[in-house]
Amino acid sequence: MFKKITKKEVQALEKRLSYHRRLVWDELSPGDREKVWKTAEDYKSFLNASKTERETIFEISRRLTLAGFKEVDHSGSKGRVFQVWKDKVLALAILGKEPLSRGMQIIVSHVDAPRLDLKQHPLYEEADLAFFKTHYYGGIKKYQWLARPLALHGTILTAENKKINLAIGEKEQDPVFSVADLLPHLARKVQMEKKLSEAIEGEKLNILVGSTPIGPIETKERFKLATLRYLHEHYGLIEEDLISAELELVPAEPARDVGLDRGIVGAYGQDDRACVFSALKAAIEVEKPGRTVVILFYDKEEVGSEGNTSARARILEGFLPRLFSLKGETLSPQILDVTLTASRAISADVAGALDPDYPEVHEKRNAPRLGCGLCLTKFTGSGGKIGSSDAHAEYVYWIRRLFNQKGIIWQTGEMGKVDEGGGGTIAKFLAALGLEIVDCGTPVLSMHSPFELVSKADLYMTYKGYKAFLRAS
Ligand code: MN
Ligand code: MN
């Protein structure tokens, strides 16, 4: 006979069987809550020091050196080492007690972010003003870069082979730069009636750099010459030096707290520096791990991981033999294969969080939310998982069990509705080496904008989750 189920039994069933997304804020102990705020303060200073890929690598090296890590070829490293390539890629390792062939715990992330790069012939004048021409880097919405203060960062080699690292526009007394936007009164035909993707042309992203001429004297290009004179007087540059230079325009503001309760960090470049910071902090705190820990910070992710500083370059292949020799273990092609196959990795990249103003692009059951913790993403890609490294069930199980055991508040999420768009990460390039890898990172609102938003609670869980991963045996 059919037995009537009680309300209490339904509740018990619900509790036992159903999955519930959890809010980090609901689960934090008072001690952890304190650590959330403290971690965010350190994070903001990390972001302020790390506006470009080179500055990020420099800041990581600085923090590692302070924490007692040594360059890999340095003697007396005590098993905590790092190596830098071309000032744009860094690998660190903490040698474990077990042999390398038992496998490593690896986290990979990227240090580059979308921005405006100067062209090689950047400087020109028009209508009594001097400008720099740019070519944008990575996926930007061009309108977001108009009419806002920008800072100029980069590296220049002078004709005398002197290397100059620039950063103009970050200190309060510094000048800033700007792309002027058209007044609304005249924008109707050339901007407003066009599609958003066509309204702002790439060739109109020109940076106002000067407005005072040389003179008064009859000569061509007095404004351009005044800019060159300034660059020569202050940095010893001639125009040809700009051809080899790497100069980048990034938003000039420092990281800020967002909201009355200050629960969110607003800043440029949090894709992927939220994960970079979390992985670095976790690694620095790991002592004497069982399995060897390796963290890789790559460049050029935002342009498809092309070039010799990207995740497609043979960085790990160059780094691993050094670890074998540091540990005094023999390396052969077979042992390398065994080591990689036995290794576990996290592709530490941010996840696009559910935007409450645009629910139509998300599939709300499978979209990550701000405040619900570290986001585990089984697969990325677009239009049929194309371009994705789809993590295996066994590995996703292993990592979810680890997070649960260690009290990590995590969620799962994919980027947008099926066929809405999508995007990939560097997971697939590492997966090609044979290791297990899954995407796992911090949810971000306003991703790829000049002012990205990250929950301090999620940042803290990212760090805690990575640390639990690095310590796992
Ligand atoms: Mn990213
Ligand atoms: Mn990105």
Side-chain angles (χ1 to χ4, degrees), residues 110 271-272 301-302 349-350 447-448:
H110 69 92
D271 171 8
D272 186 28
E301 191 276 341
E302 298 294 358
D349 207 345
V350 296
M447 199 166 123
H448 275 219

Side-chain angles (χ1 to χ4, degrees), residues 169-429:
E170 298 295 349
K171 297 193 202 91
E172 217 176 325
Q173 67 271 25
D174 278 359
V176 293
F177 307 88
S178 186
V179 181
D181 195 8
L182 194 56
L183 63 170
H185 317 62
L186 297 178
R188 188 161 55 95
K189 283 189 220 150
V190 295
Q191 288 183 339
M192 308 291 208
E193 288 172 3
K194 288 186 180 169
K195 276 165 58 180
L196 192 55
S197 60
E198 289 159 12
I200 313 297
E201 292 165 36
E203 289 295 352
K204 291 191 197 293
L205 295 176
N206 299 317
I207 308 294
L208 183 55
V209 67
S211 57
T212 55
I214 274 183
I217 189 166
E218 262 318 303
T219 180
K220 299 190 301 185
E221 305 196 310
R222 293 200 290 145
F223 293 85
K224 178 180 167 183
L225 199 56
T227 307
L228 282 176
R229 184 176 64 179
Y230 180 92
L231 291 173
H232 187 70
E233 282 175 2
H234 288 78
Y235 305 103
L237 304 186
I238 57 170
E239 192 173 8
E240 192 183 298
D241 296 336
L242 297 174
I243 292 179
S244 52
E246 284 175 3
L247 290 164
E248 309 174 4
L249 286 135
V250 297
E253 310 90 347
R256 302 289 295 267
D257 288 340
V258 174
L260 292 170
D261 55 3
R262 298 177 176 264
I264 285 171
V265 172
Y268 164 72
Q270 298 195 75
D271 171 8
D272 186 28
R273 293 174 195 143
C275 298
V276 167
F277 170 84
S278 302
L280 176 66
K281 181 173 164 61
I284 284 174
E285 292 177 14
V286 168
E287 306 263 2
K288 300 195 176 68
R291 288 155 67 101
T292 291
V293 160
V294 173
I295 317 270
L296 292 147
F297 303 98
Y298 288 110
D299 179 31
K300 296 286 184 284
E301 191 276 341
E302 298 294 358
V303 290
S305 295
E306 306 287 353
N308 65 3
T309 54
S310 76
R312 277 197 239 215
R314 296 172 56 82
I315 303 287
L316 188 58
E317 291 92 322
F319 190 54
L320 281 185
R322 294 178 131 94
L323 301 187
F324 274 88
S325 90
L326 271 177
K327 268 182 82 63
E329 293 173 27
T330 41
L331 178 60
S332 68
Q334 287 82 357
I335 290 174
L336 182 62
D337 192 56
V338 167
T339 303
L340 288 169
T341 309
S343 294
R344 305 185 192 106
I346 281 179
S347 165
D349 207 345
V350 296
L354 181 102
D355 186 330
D357 282 328
Y358 295 91
E360 64 271 30
V361 304
H362 302 280
E363 191 269 283
K364 68 179 183 203
R365 286 169 197 83
N366 284 286
R369 296 195 193 186
L370 238 55
C372 292
L374 175 58
C375 178
L376 191 61
T377 299
K378 188 173 180 294
F379 61 89
T380 61
S382 54
K385 301 189 176 181
I386 303 297
S388 162
S389 159
D390 200 339
H392 302 297
E394 293 83 352
Y395 189 49
V396 177
Y397 165 74
W398 179 86
I399 205 158
R400 105 174 141 94
R401 193 185 57 168
L402 173 78
F403 287 165
N404 288 341
Q405 283 169 349
K406 300 294 176 190
I408 309 304
I409 313 298
W410 61 278
Q411 56 184 321
T412 182
E414 73 174 301
M415 195 198 279
K417 278 183 176 166
V418 177
D419 292 337
E420 189 72 43
T425 64
I426 60 177
K428 60 181 174 182
F429 305 118

Side-chain angles (χ1 to χ4, degrees), residues 19-89:
Y19 173 83
H20 295 283
R21 194 192 298 273
R22 296 186 291 168
L23 265 173
V24 179
W25 299 112
D26 287 342
E27 315 252 347
L28 290 170
S29 67
D32 264 346
R33 195 170 274 262
E34 201 51 50
K35 285 186 200 148
V36 166
W37 303 120
K38 250 186 88 184
T39 304
E41 290 308 303
D42 189 26
Y43 175 54
K44 285 185 286 176
S45 68
F46 178 83
L47 289 175
N48 294 342
S50 311
K51 287 289 191 88
T52 67
E53 70 281 38
R54 283 177 191 259
E55 288 173 4
T56 308
I57 294 300
F58 183 82
E59 177 64 8
I60 295 169
S61 314
R62 192 187 69 81
R63 287 179 176 236
L64 286 174
T65 307
L66 272 179
F69 283 72
K70 299 269 193 266
E71 298 232 21
V72 75
D73 296 325
H74 192 284
S75 58
S77 65
K78 299 208 180 88
R80 297 167 80 81
V81 296
F82 69 99
Q83 187 179 356
V84 176
W85 289 261
K86 299 178 192 298
D87 295 343
K88 296 179 182 178
V89 181

